[in-house]
Amino acid sequence: MGFKNVCFDCKKAFNQGTDLNNIGESKCPDCGKLMKQITHRFRPPKQKDKKKWEVAKFLMERGFLYEHVYERIYEVRGITVLANYATYPENMRDAKEFVEKYKSQAETE
C-alpha cells in the first residue's frame, strides 16, 4: 500500500511508496506544478484517455479521493454499519450521479 502523486495537466501518476515519514507535496517532473496525492486505490487511466482523466479530476475536485465509498450506511442499535463498496465511475454522466448520491461521504478540506 502507499500513495500516488498525480498530475492532471500531464496525465501522469507516480507511486510514492509506503514510507509515511517521507510523504510530502511533490511537483510534477514534467511541468513543475504541484501534484495531487491520493491513495494507492486510484488506477490511473492511459495517458491518451482524456475522458477518463476528466472524470478522475471531476471526482477528486469534489472530495472523492478514491478512498472507499459505501453503498449503504445504516444504524443498528446505535452502531453504524457500512455495507458494500461503491464502484468509482468511468464516465462523466455516471460521475455526476455518483457525486450526488454519495456527497455525504466526500472528503472536505
Side-chain angles (χ1 to χ4, degrees):
M1 290 195 237
F3 293 90
K4 290 185 176 152
N5 284 322
V6 179
C7 178
F8 286 101
D9 292 323
C10 297
K11 295 171 181 56
K12 291 185 177 182
F14 303 91
N15 288 330
Q16 185 152 5
T18 58
D19 183 358
L20 299 179
N21 295 320
N22 264 335
I23 291 179
E25 294 180 341
S26 297
K27 291 185 178 182
C28 177
D30 293 340
C31 69
K33 292 184 181 176
L34 197 59
M35 294 189 289
K36 183 76 174 168
Q37 187 179 66
I38 58 173
T39 180
H40 68 281
R41 289 183 192 92
F42 175 65
R43 300 290 180 246
K46 294 186 181 203
Q47 196 172 14
K48 293 181 181 181
D49 196 342
K50 293 179 182 178
K51 288 184 179 184
K52 286 186 180 177
W53 277 101
E54 287 176 22
V55 170
K57 184 176 181 180
F58 175 83
L59 291 168
M60 287 188 215
E61 286 174 343
R62 283 151 184 83
F64 293 95
L65 305 179
Y66 288 82
E67 295 288 346
H68 289 307
V69 173
Y70 297 92
E71 287 184 358
R72 295 186 320 150
I73 300 175
Y74 56 94
E75 286 197 27
V76 176
R77 294 185 208 128
I79 298 172
T80 301
V81 178
L82 308 171
N84 303 332
Y85 297 137
T87 303
Y88 273 79
E90 293 189 5
N91 65 58
M92 193 59 77
R93 182 179 51 94
D94 292 344
K96 289 177 181 177
E97 290 176 12
F98 182 92
V99 167
E100 185 60 32
K101 183 175 182 178
Y102 299 113
K103 62 186 169 190
S104 65
Q105 296 182 58
E107 292 187 25
T108 57
E109 292 182 50

